[in-house]
């Protein structure tokens, strides 16, 4: 299992995550120093407190990615995922005809009925405007 973490792909990912984590640490220290300089502000202080959170998130993603890879190697679902997806995968695929028969509503809804100017003059005017835009767009 641990040998899979020493493949070229994983070695590159380890380097990437380490560089990102170390970079967030340096950025936090830089913003902390900047906040205490004469030209520093509360914004720099906020960034100084925010960068360690980014570093922690980087470590969290690193661990999550390793766990997902191990789970994939074991052929298990990701921890915390529902078993419904696994149950759907185990069911045989249905024919397209059966899928069409089970569909209760059309893929594309039918067009709305036209509105008369007597019923709703604003909506009728807007529909005429949209029809004019459609005609000018299709003329191009």
């Amino acid at each position: 299992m641990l040998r899979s973490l020493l493949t070229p792909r994983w070695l590159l990912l380890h380097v990437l995550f380490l560089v990102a984590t170390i970079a967030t640490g340096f950025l936090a220290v830089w913003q902390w120093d900047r906040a205490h300089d004469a030209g520093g502000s509360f914004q720099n202080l906020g960034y100084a407190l925010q960068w360690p959170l980014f570093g922690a998130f980087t470590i969290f993603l690193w661990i999550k990615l390793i766990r997902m890879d191990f789970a994939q190697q074991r052929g298990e679902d990701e921890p915390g995922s529902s078993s419904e997806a696994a149950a759907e995968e185990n069911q045989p695929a249905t024919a397209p005809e059966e899928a069409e028969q089970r569909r209760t509503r059309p893929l594309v809804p039918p067009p709305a009925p036209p509105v008369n100017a007597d019923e709703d003059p604003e909506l009728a005017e807007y529909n005429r405007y949209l029809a004019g835009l459609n005609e000018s767009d299709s003329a191009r």
Side-chain angles (χ1 to χ4, degrees):
M1 283 265 200
L2 294 178
R3 284 186 185 171
S4 66
L5 294 178
L6 298 177
T7 61
R9 173 184 174 259
W10 270 107
L11 289 175
L12 183 64
L13 283 171
H14 293 318
V15 168
L16 178 73
F17 280 114
L18 280 173
V19 167
T21 304
I22 292 169
T24 57
F26 279 123
L27 288 169
V29 170
W30 172 64
Q31 286 292 337
W32 184 262
D33 291 339
R34 180 85 174 127
H36 291 91
D37 285 345
S41 66
F42 283 112
Q43 183 177 12
N44 297 112
L45 187 60
Y47 286 142
L49 300 175
Q50 193 175 16
W51 280 115
L53 292 176
F54 290 150
F57 186 68
T58 304
I59 293 170
F60 168 77
L61 286 179
W62 190 5
I63 293 169
K64 184 75 171 169
L65 196 59
I66 290 172
R67 285 184 179 179
M68 285 173 47
D69 192 46
F70 282 163
Q72 185 180 19
Q73 286 177 2
R74 283 186 254 141
E76 298 175 358
D77 286 340
E78 181 184 340
S81 66
S82 66
S83 60
E84 294 174 3
E88 289 177 6
E89 289 177 4
N90 293 336
Q91 293 180 354
T94 59
E97 299 85 25
E98 293 176 18
E100 289 291 328
Q101 290 174 355
R102 285 188 285 141
R103 187 174 294 128
T104 58
R105 60 183 183 154
L107 290 175
V108 178
V115 178
N116 295 336
D118 298 334
E119 295 174 15
D120 190 354
E122 280 185 40
L123 184 58
E125 177 62 31
Y126 183 65
N127 285 339
R128 283 192 294 275
Y129 170 72
L130 290 178
L133 285 177
N134 190 27
E135 288 175 12
S136 67
D137 196 33
S138 61
R140 288 185 192 181

